[in-house]
Amino acid sequence: MKAGEEIYRSPFVITVCSGKGGVGKSFIAANIANLLADKGLAVLLWDADMHFPNQHLLVGAEPPVRLSDVYTGEMNVLQAIFKTTDNMHLLADTPATGKIREYSAEAILNVYKQLLIETEYDVIIIDTPALTNDEVLQCCNIADLITIVVNDEPTSLLDAYGLLKILLPYIGKEFINLLVNNVIDVEDADEISEKLNLATEKFLNTQLDVIGFIPYDRAVRQSIVQQKLFTDFVKGSEVNKALNKIVENILKQKNS
């Protein structure tokens, strides 16, 4: 049971993470949020990367109040929530300036508590840093569903394994799944997920379910450059179909 579940309306929290950067984690988080909002759900997209946030770039927004002000207590979380569409809101941070920031995992938890008390979202999607640190672990601790994004790069699989090795002693495998990005086809996706599951089965005595896969499409880069969400930018593509299937699987878990 999540903190506050008995008192407040409790949103379904999805934490999207990866062991390394460059695997498409932020792209996936933003577009899943957009598709869930299109289905009429109240969705908050929370960029929890305190040093290299980019969700505001992906959605083409410049919120006037950023999470750095909330983490330090200068602003209330409601002041930082930025409306991007009728059903989708954004919590964005400011890129690091080079100065040492003194807030960390506790700041994440404090924002989450504020959201429980002061908002009524159906879904909160947290985009984490591409690291394994206290902030990422806190984002995973408050999640109903943890999605680890991997691709076919050996470093992606190695770092994902490292993240799982830390998470699994504390979080049940039923709350964690894999999402395979940037693949040729379903066979390619199966091969990648099987590689990781072979390692987790041998050394961690577990296998993880795959929530879906996303095929390669050069239009993905174009949507990012133009700061438009792919699910709005390119209709009817194979990537869109794959993202919609992932959203269907998420809703099944949310409603189960």
Side-chain angles (χ1 to χ4, degrees), residues 27 181-184 214-224 230 233-241:
F27 167 86
N181 188 34
N182 206 28
V183 298
I184 300 171
I214 300 174
Y216 169 80
D217 190 328
R218 66 178 61 188
V220 167
R221 176 176 173 78
Q222 296 171 7
S223 71
I224 294 171
F230 188 91
F233 183 70
V234 183
K235 299 289 187 179
S237 70
E238 292 303 312
V239 171
N240 253 324
K241 293 176 183 177

Side-chain angles (χ1 to χ4, degrees), residues 14 16-17 24-34 44-63 66-67 82 84 88-95 125-129 223-224 227-230:
I14 305 166
V16 184
C17 48
K25 169 182 55 61
S26 297
F27 167 86
I28 290 166
N31 282 280
I32 286 176
N34 192 42
L44 176 67
L45 178 59
W46 174 359
D47 193 336
D49 191 330
M50 295 179 174
H51 299 286
F52 303 102
N54 57 19
Q55 284 295 346
H56 62 292
L57 300 175
L58 291 176
V59 304
E62 286 294 338
R66 301 301 178 96
L67 272 168
F82 185 83
T84 59
M88 180 171 156
H89 293 167
L90 173 67
L91 275 176
D93 209 340
T94 306
I125 297 182
I126 306 176
D127 180 20
T128 66
S223 71
I224 294 171
Q227 296 186 15
K228 295 180 180 179
L229 290 173
F230 188 91

Side-chain angles (χ1 to χ4, degrees), residues 2 11-19 25 28-29 32 123-129 131-150 159-180 196 207-212 246 249-250 253-254:
K2 297 186 300 181
F12 188 76
V13 179
I14 305 166
T15 294
V16 184
C17 48
S18 64
K25 169 182 55 61
I28 290 166
I32 286 176
V123 180
I124 296 175
I125 297 182
I126 306 176
D127 180 20
T128 66
L131 299 166
T132 304
N133 58 21
D134 289 344
E135 292 88 345
V136 174
L137 298 182
Q138 185 63 266
C139 291
C140 291
N141 282 333
I142 62 177
D144 297 287
L145 176 64
I146 300 166
T147 295
I148 298 178
V149 181
V150 296
D159 291 346
Y161 172 82
L163 177 58
L164 286 166
K165 188 175 181 180
I166 294 172
L167 290 178
L168 284 169
Y170 306 101
I171 298 173
K173 72 170 187 176
E174 67 270 20
F175 298 104
I176 308 173
N177 58 43
L178 302 176
L179 193 160
V180 189
L196 183 55
Q207 285 198 344
L208 297 173
D209 292 332
V210 179
I211 199 168
I246 291 167
N249 289 332
I250 288 172
Q253 296 195 42
K254 177 182 181 298

